[in-house]
Each structure stands twice: as structure tokens, then as C-alpha cells.
Amino acid sequence: MRLSRFFPAANIFFPLMLGLAPAALPAAEALPPPVADALVRNAIPMQSVGVYVQQVDGPLPLMAWNAEAGFNPASTMKLVTTDAALEMLGPAFTWKTRAYTRGTLNGDVLQGDLIIRGEGDPKLVTEKFWQFLRQIRAAGIREIQGNLILDRSIYRAEAHDAGAFDAEPFKPYNVGPDALLLNYNVLTMRFRPDAAQRTVSLQFDPPVAWSPAQVRTPLLSNGACGDWQSALRPQFGAQGLWFEGSYPASCGERGWYVHPYTMPATDYFGLVFRQLWMEIGGTFSGTVLDGVTPADAQQIAEWQSPPLPEIVRDINKFSNNVMARHLLLTIAAQHGDVPATPQFGANLLRAWLSRKGIDTQRFVVENGSGLSRIEQITPATMGRMLVAAYQSPMMPEFISSMPVVGLDGTMRRRLVNDDVAGRAHIKTGSLDGVRAVAGYVQALSGKRYAVVCIINDTHAEQGRAAQDALLRWVHDNG
């Protein structure tokens, strides 16, 4: 994803960030000529690039360029978080969401509260939540006369400013972690203009319990479609949705995948719960509240997430930030830190690398997703971790979670017609001022290499050609 205002404009910032003096840098000829040429063509200084290449069963790197310097890795940091999770949690790990009652069940009427306790399932999407509610109905409950209590206590309650990173709070990638994350805490709004009636109709996914009177659709306007999302200026709340802007008729039918950040997560969960509960024949007129599960509550239902390798695949193939945040917090929670914090999870990742004999001097973790201005790693640390991961029993799950070059995930449109397509599993990372690739390349020789290339520079966006040249070079010459 492209994020603005990430780095200062002056390239001199980057040698300072890396802790390198330009005079001490190795000669430019150390990089393969196609890589060096691509960097020169795109005005990317050599000191802004870090490279590490090592055969997975070899003792020494084939190539190491600025490899011990600290770089912001963007989303390639997810490789560290997911590899650690596979080893520390195990491939059979699942998250559990449980329902409890407190009160008396009189026939099919619960005279008391329904409690839902989350463990941080990062993939509790609408259809799965619907199935979970069906379990509750199957337990004999139709009417809930008390309240709905949401127990998120496994994570430490910390304020999350969705706009703090890049002033784009509506973007789904800025969603914060939530032990009862539902449908990634996003809402799809589909706009259908009717030029003849001068109206706009709205459809929501997931369905929410807003009455027609609670949704004030935007006015229909003339003019070019342009930046139609910014022009809408939506305002979300538990009591409804309205728009301070208008929708251009020239846009036609459009969908917007949005994080309704002005609506508390509790309200979002409550709106979806009310709608789905009603659709399966239940009634509920109480209040949705945050709380903790009482000691005398009775469990009535349990939902299990997909196993960890499926979650890891979603994180690495599609670079899902909030899922990666959940993984770091889950590692913390499963190792005794309840309520869990990212700081404790970061310490566990550092200790895990150290046990492998991998240097962590320039290893900084903020949230485990790479969506950070302070996360840092050296190309050598990343590369050595990849080499160690190849020797791990979790190797098949780990490698298969990465995008296949030219075929799927975030690499589906890169090197499509090249010989390396289909022969490399590569995770990408992208922020303003950062371009990174890390993963594995199988060379024509049959040897497999761990490959890392990170660029931190104001021209990093033009670094794709150099990184593609590196993947191609390893494939052809490794």
C-alpha cells in the first residue's frame, strides 16, 4: 500500500538512518550489474539498499550488501511474525470464540445476559459469525431479555487512532486489533445512483441493523466522478449513517470497502449481531456492552477459527495488517501475557531469534505487521531467519503462505512472463519510502536461495526494477 508523508525528502536521511557512513560503503560492483544498473537508472543511492542472498543449505551468503544495517522492512516484517507463530503456537492452533449465559432459560427465553468472549480470532467473518449464532439458537435460545456482553479482556484495552499513521482512518489497513474482531471491522457500502429519480440507494455487507430512517443516503451530484470517496464524507454512529458530501451520478454503481472508524467496535459488533440474530428468528432489545465473563456463566457454544496455517497464508499472500497484529498479540497471550500487549510479543520474537543464534541488535517490532515508522530489521537478520525457517518442520506451511511470483497474492502481476515466474515465493513490502522483497527463489541449478532486498529511500517506489532484476539474477545464476 502506498502511504504518504513517510520519509523526509532529502536522501541524506537514509545513510543516517542506516547508521552508515557513505565513505565506508563497499564498492558498487559488489551488486550484480543488472541490479546496480536499475538502481542508477532510478536515482536510488547504493547506501539506501540492503541485500542478503544465501543458499538454504549453505553456510555463507552468496551476496551481502549493507546486510548488517537497519532498514524499515514494511510488510516483509510479517514473515518474522508468521514464522514465529508457526513455531511457537504450532500448526494445529486455533482461536476460540465462546458464548455464555448468565441467568435463567425459561423455555426459549433467556432471562439474563448473553456473553460472547473472544480470543482474537482474526477471521471471524460474517458467514462464520452467522454459523456461530446458529449454534446459540440451537442451544434453545430465541429471545434474550438481558444484555449482550462482549468480553475482549484477553487483549489489553489500548486506544487506537486509525488516522495516526497516515491520516487515512477510513482505510481497512488501519483497523486496530480487537479480541472480538468481526469481519475485519470493515463495512462494504454499495452505491446505486438513480439519475431519473435523483436518488442514491445503499446496500451494506455485512448487514447491519439500521432502519431506513437511520440512514441518510448522499445527495446525487453532477460532474466528474474523480475522488468520489473523499467527496462523500460519511459519518458513522450506532444511531445511523449520514453523508456530509454527495455522490456523482457519473460514477455509476460503485462499492467502497471502508473502516467505519468513528463508530466504536462495540457498536459495530452490536449492529451486525442484532441484524443476524433477527434474521435467524431471534429477538433482542437489550444493550450491547463491554465487560468480562462472570465466574458463574454457563458456556453454551464455541466457534473455532481455521487452523493457523490458513491464517498465515492470508497474512502473507494478501498482506493483511490487522491479522498480523492479532498474531503478535496471540503469541503474547499464549505465553502468559494476559491481557496481551504488543510489547510482550515483540520481546518474545526477539528471544525466539536469539535462540536461533540470529542477531537482534537492530531488530525493532512495534506491531508485527510492518505498518510502522519504527519497525526495523537488517537484511542479514531477515535472511538468516529465512534460512533457519527452511530447516524447520514448519517449512512447508511457511513457504506455501508466500505469494508465488507471477501467479498469486501481491506478486501476481510481477515477472509474469519471466523464467522466474512460478519458481519463487516472495513476500512484498511497500510504504512511501520503502520497497522490500523477501522469500525464496529456486534457481535453474535446482538450488534454493533465501533472498532479501530492502530499499529505504525517497525514490524507493522506483526500486521494483532493481528487485525484480535481483530475483531474476538469483534464478539464472544461483
Side-chain angles (χ1 to χ4, degrees):
M1 61 197 64
R2 190 175 191 278
L3 303 177
S4 59
R5 299 176 296 281
F6 189 79
F7 287 119
N11 282 339
I12 194 171
F13 169 77
F14 294 94
L16 295 175
M17 180 195 71
L18 301 175
L20 298 171
L25 292 169
E29 290 77 12
L31 287 173
V35 179
D37 290 348
L39 293 171
V40 170
R41 284 197 312 272
N42 290 285
I44 298 173
M46 298 296 175
Q47 66 265 29
S48 298
V49 183
V51 175
Y52 189 90
V53 179
Q54 182 176 342
Q55 188 178 336
V56 294
D57 54 359
L60 297 172
L62 174 69
M63 185 187 309
W65 176 267
N66 291 343
E68 303 295 341
F71 286 81
N72 185 309
S75 282
T76 58
M77 182 62 86
K78 293 181 175 73
L79 292 179
V80 182
T81 307
T82 54
D83 185 24
L86 285 168
E87 290 196 7
M88 298 173 75
L89 301 176
F93 180 83
T94 59
W95 288 261
K96 297 175 177 63
T97 304
R98 297 181 173 94
Y100 302 82
T101 59
R102 190 187 190 195
T104 302
L105 186 60
N106 187 1
D108 59 3
V109 177
L110 174 60
Q111 296 172 328
D113 298 331
L114 176 70
I115 302 104
I116 298 180
R117 185 177 189 274
E119 288 186 352
D121 182 352
K123 203 173 181 180
L124 186 61
V125 292
T126 309
E127 58 269 27
K128 304 304 182 184
F129 186 53
W130 180 87
Q131 290 177 283
F132 178 52
L133 296 184
R134 290 291 302 174
Q135 287 186 19
I136 298 172
R137 285 284 283 116
I141 299 173
R142 178 186 58 82
E143 180 179 352
I144 303 167
Q145 292 189 341
N147 296 320
L148 174 64
I149 310 299
L150 305 181
D151 185 349
R152 298 179 161 92
S153 58
I154 198 168
Y155 291 171
R156 179 170 295 176
E158 295 182 345
H160 177 73
D161 183 352
F165 187 81
D166 62 350
E168 294 281 4
F170 284 124
K171 297 291 188 181
Y173 61 72
N174 275 321
V175 171
D178 179 352
L180 270 172
L181 185 74
L182 177 58
N183 213 58
Y184 312 111
N185 200 17
V186 298
L187 187 67
T188 299
M189 300 187 293
R190 181 153 295 278
F191 299 84
R192 293 188 173 94
D194 185 330
Q197 299 295 323
R198 303 300 299 170
T199 59
V200 181
S201 62
L202 268 177
Q203 182 180 356
F204 300 104
D205 184 27
V208 289
W210 279 324
S211 69
Q214 290 177 299
V215 179
R216 285 183 280 167
T217 58
L219 297 173
L220 198 62
S221 62
N222 298 319
C225 189
D227 187 9
W228 61 276
Q229 294 171 331
S230 296
L232 281 167
R233 303 198 305 277
Q235 300 296 316
F236 296 91
Q239 303 306 314
L241 164 67
W242 67 97
F243 298 85
E244 295 181 348
S246 59
Y247 184 81
S250 59
C251 288
E253 184 176 327
R254 296 283 182 110
W256 187 8
Y257 192 57
V258 62
H259 171 215
Y261 75 99
T262 57
M263 181 194 307
T266 298
D267 293 343
Y268 174 92
F269 194 104
L271 285 167
V272 178
F273 171 84
R274 290 178 191 274
Q275 182 66 30
L276 294 182
W277 187 248
M278 179 186 67
E279 289 180 3
I280 61 175
T283 60
F284 170 66
S285 57
T287 303
V288 182
L289 304 168
D290 288 320
V292 295
T293 305
D296 59 348
Q298 300 296 311
Q299 182 175 329
I300 59 167
E302 178 180 285
W303 180 262
Q304 290 194 34
S305 74
L308 179 61
E310 182 175 330
I311 302 298
V312 167
R313 184 181 186 278
D314 285 349
I315 291 171
N316 287 335
K317 290 280 189 185
F318 308 109
S319 209
N320 190 296
N321 290 308
V322 71
M323 293 177 82
R325 288 175 180 262
H326 275 225
L327 216 50
L328 185 67
L329 288 166
T330 300
I331 291 171
Q334 291 298 311
H335 287 79
D337 184 43
V338 178
T341 64
Q343 294 81 11
F344 193 87
N347 291 338
L348 290 170
L349 260 58
R350 190 173 293 103
W352 170 76
L353 287 171
S354 295
R355 288 195 298 272
K356 296 174 179 290
I358 299 173
D359 178 50
T360 60
Q361 186 177 359
R362 293 186 175 88
F363 180 64
V364 179
V365 177
E366 182 180 15
N367 55 52
S369 75
L371 189 68
S372 167
R373 292 185 173 90
I374 66 171
E375 289 198 330
Q376 184 182 103
I377 196 169
T378 71
T381 295
M382 179 75 78
R384 290 164 185 153
M385 184 212 74
L386 290 171
V387 170
Y390 196 80
Q391 312 306 324
S392 165
M394 299 298 104
M395 178 269 287
E397 288 80 6
F398 183 55
I399 292 184
S400 65
S401 76
M402 300 180 201
V404 181
V405 170
L407 295 178
D408 71 2
T410 57
M411 288 294 295
R412 66 189 180 279
R413 295 191 178 95
R414 290 177 67 169
L415 296 162
V416 173
N417 298 314
D418 198 279
D419 289 344
V420 73
R423 297 179 63 89
H425 289 76
I426 298 293
K427 177 78 188 76
T428 60
S430 177
L431 300 171
D432 266 11
V434 182
R435 288 297 184 274
V437 291
Y440 300 96
V441 175
Q442 186 175 31
L444 284 172
S445 64
K447 299 175 182 177
R448 195 181 299 271
Y449 290 84
V451 179
V452 180
C453 180
I454 308 175
I455 301 173
N456 284 185
D457 190 78
T458 53
H459 295 140
E461 188 174 358
Q462 282 74 53
R464 172 173 163 171
Q467 291 173 338
D468 286 355
L470 176 65
L471 299 179
R472 188 181 298 112
W473 184 88
V474 173
H475 171 263
D476 293 345
N477 299 279

